[in-house]
Structure formats: C-alpha cells, structure tokens
Amino acid sequence: MIQTVNSIPAFDLKQQYNAIEEEVSAAVLEVLASGGYIGGSIVAGLEQQLADYIEVNECISCNSGTDALYLALRAYGIGVGDEVITTSFTFIATSEVISAVGAKPVFVDINEATFNLDLQQVATAITPQTKAIIPVHLFGQPVDMTELMGIAKVHNLVVIEDCAQSTGAMWGEKLVGSIGHVGCFSFYPTKNLGGCGDGGAITTNDGEIAAKIRMLKNHGQKDRYYYEEVGVNSRLDAIQAAVLQIKLRYLDTWNQQRKGIASRYQSYLSQLPNIITPHELGGG
Ligand SMILES: Cc1ncc(COP(=O)(O)O)c(C=O)c1O
C-alpha cells in the first residue's frame, strides 16, 4: 500500500520570511511611508543589482516571468508566420507567450536524463520559419548552452532563456540569463528568488533590445505621451523590489542549501529499486 506523507511540505514560505522578517518588514514599511509605490529608486536599484549579479549590461523589471517572455518575443518582432522552438515539459507560460504574439510553438522532446530540451531534436526541428528558441532551465538545471548557442548561431536564431526556475544557476563560468540573447526571470513567490507577489525581469547585453523592452512594457511609450506601438502595462512595484533586493543577498546561500538537500535525497533515493533520480549536468 502506498502511504502519502503530508507532514513535510515541499517548501515553506513562512519559514523563509521568518528568517529575514526584520529586514523585510523594515524595507516594506519604508516604501509605504515614502509614498513612492511605482518605479523610482528602489526599482531602479534592484535592476542594477540584478544586472550586476547576472553580469549583464541591462536588466528591465516587469510584472511577471510570463510578461518577461512575452516582452522578449515582442522586442525581437516575433509574430504571425514565425516558429519558436521550445519544450512542452515546462509551465504553460513558456509556450503560451509564443501563441500570444501570434507565432507557432514547435515542441521538441526532452532529454530523459536532464528533463531539458533534447538538442539533437532542436537541430532537426529548425525550418525557414524558425526565428527563436526558448530553452527552459528546468528545476534549476541549465540546458547545455554551449551546444545550443552553437546551433542558434549557425541558423541565425534568437535564444530567449527561460530562467524562471533557475535564478543563480550556472553554465560553466556564466550565470543563466547572460548566455542567450535575453534571459527571462520570474519572481513568483515560490521561485529561487521570489517576491511577496508577482514580478519578473529581463536581462540582456543588447542595448537596443533593452530600450525596445522598456518602451513595450510602458504601453509602447517612448517619450511621455508619445506611443510608438501597442504595448502593455508591466511594472514591478516598489514593495516587491524592496523585498527582492534583500532576498538577492541571500540567494547564493539559499541555492547552496537547496543543492545540499537535493543531493541528500539523491543519495538515499538512488539506493532504492526502480527509482531513477535526476541526472545533474556538469555545467559545461
Ligand atoms: C519555466 C517557467 N516559465 C515561466 C513561468 C512564468 O512565470 P510567472 O508565474 O512569474 O508569470 C514560470 C513560473 O510560473 C515557470 O516555471
């Protein structure tokens, strides 16, 4: 008989909050007292802090990981008639945004060991309509970005990294979000770097694309009240930015703790019969 154990939650956000309660509460109260709830120095400060952490030139905050992916596709002009290769073994947002811009999601299967895109199948799925690839670094494990960038370069394709589940993960010497053309992050509360509400960000070294994303996330507005194209309203609010600034300082430690716990599960579970535990790639 299979017994389910309900007493161990997969994660406990209250526990994380309790550990940093004083800092977070003080920062949130400061925002509330300041009256500056949208934009401003706290949001700009977080963008800079994230750009420095990921080691990219530009970071643009937005409302969610979904919006980050959507804005990236829009910034590259991907739309009707275009194909975007991705995985179906992900949260729906990854493919939803491809449909939302009018393009066609082309799914390739995953590698059984890593649960990430099977790169051999990516290469065979490319057609003259393919414009981009969205690799998803699932459960914190990066896709082999060396091989993927090689494929993308040969076919002149844009690589939009879905880093929603992998803030702080490294491929070789580089953090995810700094290897593709753009990186898209989610700050949904349960993510490695999670706020106390929705949030997201896009990282890139391409100044032109960054400027386009800044315009699109602000209703398509370039100069005040002059709208270049139809955009969206996608802001990260100052309270979230304040919380994320604090949590970013703990991220590397928390990620190390997660890895330690994962390897304990790995070593015990792999001793059991009929259980295949996830394979960890070396990191290129
Ligand atoms: C792989 C992946 N991509 C995209 C998203 C979308 O992020 P958000 O919920 O912040 O819109 C998520 C998380 O929910 C995710 O896990």
Side-chain angles (χ1 to χ4, degrees):
M1 198 176 102
I2 297 172
Q3 273 195 321
T4 48
V5 181
N6 295 321
S7 55
I8 305 173
F11 46 77
D12 183 352
L13 289 176
K14 281 187 297 211
Q15 206 180 345
Q16 191 193 54
Y17 172 67
N18 290 341
I20 51 170
E21 182 180 355
E22 265 182 44
E23 279 177 279
V24 170
S25 305
V28 168
L29 288 176
E30 206 175 303
V31 174
L32 289 176
S34 76
Y37 305 138
I38 297 286
S41 63
I42 293 180
V43 176
L46 175 72
E47 289 178 339
Q48 189 58 54
Q49 209 180 325
L50 278 166
D52 293 345
Y53 176 77
I54 303 289
E55 294 188 359
V56 287
N57 296 336
E58 307 269 359
C59 173
I60 309 108
S61 61
C62 63
N63 174 263
S64 65
T66 307
D67 275 10
L69 291 161
Y70 172 82
L71 289 163
L73 287 166
R74 286 281 313 270
Y76 281 101
I78 292 163
V80 177
D82 297 332
E83 292 178 3
V84 179
I85 296 173
T86 193
T87 165
S88 60
F89 195 57
T90 174
F91 182 60
I92 183 145
T94 316
S95 53
E96 181 186 34
V97 292
I98 301 171
S99 302
V101 298
K104 180 179 162 193
V106 175
F107 296 114
V108 304
D109 210 345
I110 51 168
N111 176 300
E112 255 181 41
T114 64
F115 306 149
N116 281 337
L117 274 178
D118 178 335
L119 298 184
Q120 277 183 348
Q121 292 193 39
V122 167
T124 56
I126 295 169
T127 74
Q129 282 71 50
T130 310
K131 290 287 165 355
I133 306 170
I134 307 185
V136 179
H137 307 302
L138 202 70
F139 308 139
Q141 166 135 273
V143 171
D144 179 337
M145 289 303 289
T146 315
E147 193 179 335
L148 183 67
M149 292 311 288
I151 297 170
K153 195 166 180 196
V154 170
H155 298 275
N156 201 21
L157 303 175
V158 173
V159 175
I160 298 170
E161 293 179 73
D162 184 337
C163 309
Q165 299 189 8
S166 58
T167 311
M170 298 195 85
W171 178 250
E173 300 291 302
K174 292 189 143 201
L175 280 159
V176 298
S178 69
I179 311 166
H181 297 89
V182 287
C184 298
F185 293 83
S186 164
F187 304 132
Y188 184 77
T190 58
K191 301 296 195 237
N192 295 44
L193 179 63
C196 294
D198 273 312
I202 301 132
T203 52
T204 184
N205 283 314
D206 186 330
E208 259 179 57
I209 286 295
K212 187 101 197 265
I213 291 170
R214 284 200 180 90
M215 178 190 76
L216 287 168
K217 67 162 262 190
N218 188 21
H219 301 282
Q221 178 176 243
K222 203 165 178 192
D223 298 315
R224 200 160 166 78
Y225 299 131
Y226 286 89
Y227 304 90
E228 300 276 319
E229 55 185 290
V230 176
V232 290
N233 169 15
S234 189
R235 303 172 184 131
L236 181 76
D237 65 68
I239 287 182
Q240 298 313 325
V243 171
L244 290 165
Q245 281 202 21
I246 293 165
K247 288 195 176 187
L248 185 53
R249 297 203 284 269
Y250 293 92
L251 182 66
D252 288 343
T253 310
W254 288 342
N255 279 348
Q256 281 312 317
Q257 284 169 354
R258 271 179 195 255
K259 286 181 89 162
I261 293 166
S263 67
R264 284 216 317 267
Y265 275 108
Q266 184 97 354
S267 67
Y268 289 121
L269 289 173
S270 58
Q271 294 167 23
L272 299 174
N274 304 323
I275 290 201
I276 302 168
T277 53
H279 172 73
E280 204 177 323
L281 279 182

